[in-house]
Amino acid sequence: MRIQTAIFGIAALAISCAPAFADKRVALIIGNSAYQNVTALPNPTNDAAAMTATLKSAGFDVVDSRRDLKANEMRRALRDFSDTARDADVAVVYYAGHGIEIDGVNYLIPVDASLERDIDAFDEAIPLDRILTVMEPAKQLRLAILDACRDNPFNKTMKRTIGGRAVTRGLAKVEPTSPNTLIAFAAKAGSTASDGDKNSPFTAALVKYLPRPGLDLRKAFGFVRDDVLKVTNNRQEPFVYGSLGGNDVTLVPAVTPAPAASSASSDQNAAARRDYELAERVGTKAVWDYFITTYPTGLYTELAKAQRDKLAAEAARLAATEKAKAAQEEQTRLAVEGAKAAAQAKAAADAKAAEQARVAAELAKKAEEAKVAEAERAKAEAQAKAVEEAKAKDQKPVGPVAALTPPDQAAQPPKTDAPIAVGEIPKLLLTELRRVGCNTGAISDSWNPAAQKAMELFNKNAGMKLDVKVASVDSLDAVKSKQGRICPLICERGYKADGDRCSKIVCKAGYEVGNDNTCEKIEVKKPAPPVAKRDDTPKREDAQKAPKAAAKPATGGMQTICSFEIQGCRQVNKGCRASASGTEEICN
């Protein structure tokens, strides 16, 4: 009975809390660090990455994460999110970056804003009211979280169009007009907030309390306030504006204890198994922590610990990936702007360190996944053993048997990959891309444009959207999972694909290979008709009229002499010629 009274109440998924989990929860996360006209901020992109990982692990349906947005990009992101929030029950917008107040109106500052005059905010900044309007369709909760209470970086240079127009520090107090709307500031109106080291104190507390199942938001923000006051020695006090009704409002739905079972079914292992299966459906870190507290020892406890550590590794991987991308973009920006060599060198070092941290986080995630696989194997073996023992005793096994892993599969340990060195990933990935037919170039240790093109070819033919800019462990696993050729074999003209080889196309007699690599019948050309030649030979009568060279007289014998004068030919002695009349011979 002790186990049943302490049972973790995840069974509420199928009972009282099922409607809550059916609610659609969406979020837009914006982190602006790389400001172009004022000093850049180090932490907003880190804070945005932490919030993104938190809300994803909390089971939000949509988490749209953006960073370093210009004015037109922020407007486009809000426009897109308005479509997402149209049919949502819970809508959350989180912003970290610069924010200012002008005449009581709060503005969020894009990275390309210059704000030379106070009226430029109308064109170059985003008013808070626009965010509230975008979230308006959400049915149950609209939550805006602003980690933007910093000193106004434009205050010293901004021109005032009207002398009395106030441009003050921090953000101004707001009173939402729509019900079930909360606006959380990192610091009270008119005051500024601390940036912190890696994350701001405000965001560090948010990721700690907001995802707790069943914790009312008002209480969660109260805990956030207490933590921030403690960390900042009472210099920074977060503040929440707006109101909610009497019922608890949570970001992660609550779970309630399951009804107590009869003493006949009060088997601890069966209860742990049932609660584990339900906890697995929720799949948040807070739920696994509760399960481990309820069941301190046992097979399912070890499995729950592995699942919890896997989630933590995934959150760390997401944060490291976001940081690596931000560092890479900062390095590219400095190179494009022609920054000083020292600044570019520092950015390059930061990008390299961030990339190494990202790869290390991916490897850590794989290690945790291997632990989960090992724990699952142990669970399957235990269940299979229970089934065999039940059969031996001619008893029905306890619990559902259909879901058990077959003994022959359970006996085989999972395949786990040995840790991969960071420098080996490009070479291994290119090797796998060649195996599936997507890489026809050289295999090297560098991830160059040719390698990225091979990865793009794999994405196109495999229907995936893996990151082509970096060689990651996730990409390596994805390519490894494919059996056989993915990218089609491309052969030269006159050859055709034959498995993994190109074979020459052979056509039967009378046919030849055409331009489209098919056999086409050879056309036999008929001989051309003879061309009539011009006959330059004179006709007989013309020949008779043509003057003939006088024959040289010869000695001895007869010769034939033809002449126009005699109108024909006649025989004369050699060495003689006929006279003009043809009646006599003239000899020399």
Side-chain angles (χ1 to χ4, degrees), residues 174-197:
V174 292
E175 292 295 343
T177 58
S178 300
N180 298 325
T181 300
L182 291 182
I183 304 173
F185 286 177
K188 188 163 54 175
S191 61
T192 58
S194 170
D195 279 330
D197 295 326

Side-chain angles (χ1 to χ4, degrees), residues 266-579:
S266 60
D267 177 76
Q268 179 177 1
N269 195 54
R273 176 187 54 77
R274 182 181 66 248
D275 290 346
Y276 176 85
E277 291 173 352
L278 293 171
E280 193 172 26
R281 292 166 58 187
V282 180
T284 64
K285 182 177 181 297
V287 168
W288 290 123
D289 286 339
Y290 202 113
F291 180 93
I292 294 167
T293 302
T294 305
Y295 299 99
T297 60
L299 172 66
Y300 289 97
T301 302
E302 296 304 314
L303 192 52
K305 288 179 180 179
Q307 295 282 15
R308 178 194 61 187
D309 294 343
K310 176 184 172 183
L311 285 177
E314 172 62 10
R317 187 189 71 82
L318 289 174
T321 301
E322 291 288 334
K323 187 172 182 179
K325 288 183 178 179
Q328 181 63 41
E329 290 176 357
E330 177 65 9
Q331 180 185 3
T332 303
R333 184 184 69 83
L334 290 175
V336 171
E337 293 178 357
K340 293 182 179 179
Q344 292 195 41
K346 182 179 182 302
D350 292 343
K352 183 178 180 181
E355 176 63 15
Q356 292 175 343
R358 181 192 67 78
V359 175
E362 287 191 352
L363 296 176
K365 176 195 171 186
K366 285 191 65 66
E368 295 302 334
E369 288 176 343
K371 291 179 182 178
V372 172
E374 176 63 24
E376 288 283 0
R377 183 190 66 80
K379 180 188 75 171
E381 286 183 345
Q383 290 179 333
K385 184 178 180 181
V387 171
E388 292 299 325
E389 290 176 352
K391 285 182 179 180
K393 296 179 181 180
D394 197 22
Q395 297 177 354
K396 293 183 179 180
V398 179
V401 181
L404 298 181
T405 304
D408 57 340
Q409 295 181 15
Q412 308 220 345
K415 296 180 181 179
T416 57
D417 296 329
I420 304 173
V422 175
E424 295 180 359
I425 295 178
K427 187 174 182 180
L428 293 174
L429 183 52
L430 285 170
T431 302
E432 289 298 320
L433 287 170
R434 172 171 289 184
R435 179 183 62 82
V436 297
C438 300
N439 175 31
T440 57
I443 295 177
S444 65
D445 296 331
S446 63
W447 193 248
N448 52 34
Q452 295 178 17
K453 188 172 183 62
M455 198 69 220
E456 289 177 356
L457 193 60
F458 175 82
N459 281 342
K460 178 181 178 181
N461 289 278
M464 304 183 74
K465 296 182 179 180
L466 299 168
D467 190 355
V468 303
K469 294 182 179 179
V470 294
S472 66
V473 177
D474 285 346
S475 298
L476 179 60
D477 290 342
V479 180
K480 277 186 175 181
S481 67
K482 301 299 181 181
Q483 301 296 325
R485 174 177 291 276
I486 297 299
C487 298
L489 181 63
I490 301 175
C491 300
E492 297 179 357
R493 182 179 179 275
Y495 290 81
K496 64 180 179 179
D498 185 9
D500 289 333
R501 300 177 58 188
C502 290
S503 59
K504 188 173 182 179
I505 300 174
V506 179
C507 300
K508 63 183 182 179
Y511 287 80
E512 64 181 0
V513 179
N515 292 331
D516 58 352
N517 261 12
T518 60
C519 290
E520 299 176 353
K521 190 173 183 179
I522 300 174
E523 294 184 6
V524 180
K525 298 182 178 180
K526 296 180 179 180
V531 179
K533 296 183 179 179
R534 181 178 177 182
D535 189 4
D536 295 328
T537 305
K539 296 181 180 179
R540 181 175 181 83
E541 55 270 26
D542 294 333
Q544 292 175 353
K545 295 178 180 178
K548 297 294 183 177
K552 292 182 180 180
T555 59
M558 300 297 289
Q559 65 177 351
T560 302
I561 298 298
C562 298
S563 170
F564 288 137
E565 290 86 348
I566 63 175
Q567 297 295 311
C569 300
R570 60 169 291 179
Q571 295 289 324
V572 297
N573 291 317
K574 288 185 178 181
C576 300
R577 60 184 177 85
S579 64

